[in-house]
Amino acid sequence: MAKSRSVFICTKCGTEHSKWMGQCQGCKEWNTLVEETQTKSKPDPRAWSGDNASSRPLKIDEVEHTTVQRFPIRDEEFSRVLGGGIVPGSVVLLGGEPGIGKSTLLLQMALKFSGTVAYISGEESPSQIKLRAERIGRTESELFLLSETKTEAIFNHLKTMRPHLVVVDSIQTLHVPHVESTPGSVAQIRESAASFIRYAKETGTPVLLIGHINKEGSIAGPKILEHMVDVVLQFEGDPNLLYRILRAHKNRFGSTHEIGLYTMEQAGLQGVANPSDLLLTKQHDGLSGNAVAVLLEGVRPMLLELQALCSTAVYGTPQRSTTGFDTRRLNMLLAVLEKRCGFRLGQKDVFLNITGGLRVDDPALDLAVIAAILSSNADEPISGKVCFAAEVGLTGEVRPVTKVEQRIREAEKLGFERIYVSGHHQIEKSHYDIAIVGLKRIEELVRAQF
Ligand code: TYD
Ligand code: MG
């Protein structure tokens, strides 16, 4: 006879507690326990019967080498982030803030998929989805809509349908009947994700799950959800701005350095093939405080613009404020400038913006940040044909960055005339049509540019 009981589950690690506690006994996090009702069934008496004929241990050299044939995705950005197509039997979790475009992204991809797709939505009705598909401008496709939240019913449909791809919008709306708690609770999310993972592995059908995120920006539900799935993607961007960025936080089948760039248009999301075009405004010639940096997102170099503003501090403590850049890193760079170049920035407010609402943590931005600050401080514009790609160390040394040749090529391709890099790189300057200036210390930048 099944008996229900109340348990307290940690939303971070999933550890169960019989009573409420301030701190999880498993991961030692504070305030992560939530109460849930669980129905406990008897333990399976066959669990250790030893009758496991379906599997046997394999010696490593017995294992056959199989190359996975990925299903192609006709969305270049998405495909690249996944590592080139979608792996059969894989489970992908896509998180993101409400309204950022998760449903649009997956619907769009599903509409272009070659094969039958089951699009399961517990959030929107089929007619709403149809409207969206019309807006995207594609309705002829092997896409089947299923408005259902009970996992049992969903799996019954999937058994007869045998789709090539399954999309679930969203994991928080699913309901597993044998778990007695409300949809969206830790136990429900964990169970329904587990059942979709089993389905994916057993049938070889890839499953894409949409997950809501909580206030802290991580996917709502147990943290272990991210360990269970193969790929965790995050769709981000400022809803008021045009750009959307797709990033992989975890990818069992590819790198996590790739990003996909989209713009949200009237007719759905459009991939951005040439990001630099979008990120450079090209209108700043003659204005001080602007500098262009060459950064690398995954294998793709791109140029982007930084803006700095230094002004005399009005209040006692000068302000340091950044968008898209780490404030601590800015403080560090300011300290280096103060110490090594004798600039008195301690009395100044410093603001730093990365255009386009991008959030970047490539250290190669350092030199451009310093250049933008110096430019604003001296009120001396930097030519729009000059760019920067180097890290700056605490002693003021200009340090090399990864894949510098690729960055130089990109700058050259976009018509830049001069690039500042670290003097520690071994670069054959005659191979390029762009002037390459190698710096070893930031003092040299001041002499060369200001
Ligand atoms: P949606 O995919 O519903 O977001 P999520 O599933 O992440 O909550 O996208 C919602 C926003 O996208 C909505 O504000 C309208 C906008 N949008 C467009 O600008 N163009 C379009 O073609 C579509 C379909 C949506
Ligand atoms: Mg949605």
Side-chain angles (χ1 to χ4, degrees), residues 337 343 369-380 445-446 450:
L337 263 180
F343 280 93
V369 169
I370 288 197
I373 293 168
L374 290 176
S375 161
S376 172
N377 193 48
D379 202 13
E380 253 183 66
L445 173 70
V446 182
F450 298 99

Side-chain angles (χ1 to χ4, degrees), residues 5 12 21 31 52 97 110 158 186 197 219 260-261 270 281 306-307 325 356 360 376 378 415 421 437 444:
R5 59 172 188 142
K12 188 118 189 254
M21 273 179 259
N31 289 327
N52 293 328
E97 283 184 21
L158 292 182
V186 173
I197 290 166
I219 291 165
L261 258 182
Q270 302 294 326
T281 53
L306 296 167
Q307 296 186 320
F325 192 77
V360 188
S376 172
V421 294
V437 186
E444 295 169 32

Side-chain angles (χ1 to χ4, degrees), residues 10 13 15-17 21-29 32-33:
C10 171
C13 69
T15 306
E16 285 180 17
H17 304 72
M21 273 179 259
Q23 189 185 26
C24 168
Q25 297 296 294
C27 62
K28 306 288 177 216
E29 274 293 318
T32 53
L33 299 197

